Amino acid sequence: MEHCIFNLPDVQASKPSIAINLTRVGVTNVKKLVEIKRKDKRPIVLISTFDVFVDLPSDRKGANLSRNFEAVDEVLEKVLSTPVYEIEQLCSDIAHNLLGRHEYANQAEVRMKSEYMIRRASPSTGIKCQEVVNIFAEASAVRGAGNDDYFDVKKLIGAEVVGMTACPCAQEIMRDKAANELSELGVDRDTIIKFLERVPMATHNQRGRGIISIKVAHDFDVSLESIINIIERSMSSSVYEVLKRSDEKVVVETAHMNPKFVEDCVRAMADNIVREFPDLPDNAVITIKQTNEESIHRHNAFAERVALMGDLRMEINQE
């Protein structure tokens, strides 16, 4: 009996019944193990989650999604022989690879999220501990008009760091109460002023979540460590996994000597970005967010600034 041989149709390449373009088609929540090299240090191993997309023209029913997995795997295999030092460069390489595989697509987009462990020492006793920072990267590649071999690639790097803030408003209320109580007890005005300068007053606290992302062209590198440090420094105090009593004293005192509104944190991050990244191009896109999880309210406080680096630089330098 002869076997019948059928030519399977390429269903994805057929024409859809409703012919409209789609902005993103792809796969999400793809988990991969990523190794990032570091100069003169041990490599970092990350359990990362990828979202991978291409656009889809109106004359095509579906995208070849298996090519997305192939693109991720090929780039990760390449990492084993060619060191990669930045997660945003990894995303950029994947986006570039995607356009090479999806000949019908004009743009590709890759997003990556990971938990990054950093080592910290408590402020007084120096106890070693590890802290988790959420890091993320993105890259987009757009095919050049009239030149299929040219891809315009943009990449983004960012981090979310948890810290602590102390409310300036409530602290002023408590400062005023303390000054009045001391005055009624017969303490002279100069002593009251000196006391209030040396002993921070009570106030309510928030757990703050600061986020910075910086989007640049593919040939510019941004230090992830610097981003993390800027976010930490822009709140009232850092927080730690392990604290002894003397450490707690330092953390509480530091926060209450440095009270900040949610708006203050965003402005401090902006100022620190301008100071720490003097070589960032003017067209770099800076996104800064701060969320304070209130302790005496049911709501959270939020502030954000999105700006080009040139505009941010000009505003702060004028100030």
Side-chain angles (χ1 to χ4, degrees), residues 160-163 207-211 235 289-293:
E160 176 184 349
V161 180
V162 175
R207 174 170 290 181
R209 298 183 180 274
I211 298 175
M235 288 184 254
K289 300 178 184 179
Q290 177 76 20
T291 301
N292 284 352
E293 299 172 358

Side-chain angles (χ1 to χ4, degrees), residues 13 21-22 29 37 40 44 65 72-73 94 119 145 154 171 178 182 191 257 283 301-302 304 306 309 316:
N21 299 322
L22 298 181
N29 202 35
K37 308 293 184 182
D40 302 323
I44 301 169
L65 296 185
V72 175
D73 288 337
I94 294 173
R119 297 183 181 275
K154 297 285 192 302
Q171 190 175 63
L182 289 170
T191 302
M257 292 293 285
N283 63 354
F302 176 82
E304 179 181 25
V306 180
M309 184 63 182
I316 290 175

Side-chain angles (χ1 to χ4, degrees), residues 5-206:
I5 298 175
F6 297 97
N7 292 321
L8 294 176
D10 186 352
V11 179
Q12 287 96 333
S14 63
K15 189 172 181 178
S17 57
I18 302 174
I20 62 170
N21 299 322
L22 298 181
T23 306
R24 291 186 185 90
V25 175
V27 293
T28 63
N29 202 35
V30 179
K31 286 186 168 32
K32 294 290 181 180
L33 200 63
V34 176
E35 184 176 290
I36 303 298
K37 308 293 184 182
R38 295 190 297 174
K39 295 178 180 178
D40 302 323
K41 294 182 180 180
R42 290 184 301 175
I44 301 169
V45 178
L46 303 171
I47 299 176
S48 304
T49 302
F50 289 89
D51 298 338
V52 183
F53 310 104
V54 294
D55 67 325
L56 193 68
S58 60
D59 62 352
R60 190 176 179 90
K61 187 176 183 65
N64 300 100
L65 296 185
S66 63
R67 297 180 187 178
N68 291 5
F69 293 100
E70 292 169 358
V72 175
D73 288 337
E74 181 177 304
V75 172
L76 293 180
E77 284 298 319
K78 183 181 177 182
V79 169
L80 297 177
S81 57
T82 306
V84 168
Y85 293 95
E86 296 90 16
I87 58 174
E88 68 273 28
Q89 184 59 49
L90 180 64
C91 291
S92 177
D93 291 344
I94 294 173
H96 192 281
N97 194 303
L98 281 170
L99 282 189
R101 292 177 179 275
H102 295 274
E103 68 284 350
Y104 48 81
N106 287 316
Q107 59 186 35
E109 185 178 344
V110 179
R111 303 171 185 168
M112 171 185 171
K113 296 183 293 183
S114 297
E115 288 186 339
Y116 176 44
M117 302 298 294
I118 57 176
R119 297 183 181 275
R120 287 290 183 263
S122 60
S124 177
T125 60
I127 296 177
K128 304 295 184 183
C129 58
Q130 293 183 340
E131 307 290 342
V132 176
V133 173
N134 293 322
I135 61 174
F136 54 92
E138 298 178 10
S140 60
V142 179
R143 201 183 299 275
N147 184 359
D148 288 346
D149 295 327
Y150 171 75
F151 302 149
D152 180 25
V153 181
K154 297 285 192 302
K155 59 186 183 181
L156 176 149
I157 181 70
E160 176 184 349
V161 180
V162 175
M164 173 183 178
T165 57
C167 177
C169 183
Q171 190 175 63
E172 282 302 313
I173 296 171
M174 298 305 296
R175 188 191 303 274
D176 183 65
K177 175 178 173 58
N180 291 331
E181 292 289 343
L182 289 170
S183 179
E184 289 184 10
L185 292 171
V187 180
D188 63 273
R189 184 175 182 275
D190 289 342
T191 302
I192 292 174
I193 293 173
K194 290 179 181 178
F195 175 80
L196 294 177
E197 287 175 349
R198 296 178 63 176
V199 180
M201 291 295 99
T203 186
H204 67 95
N205 307 130
Q206 303 88 19

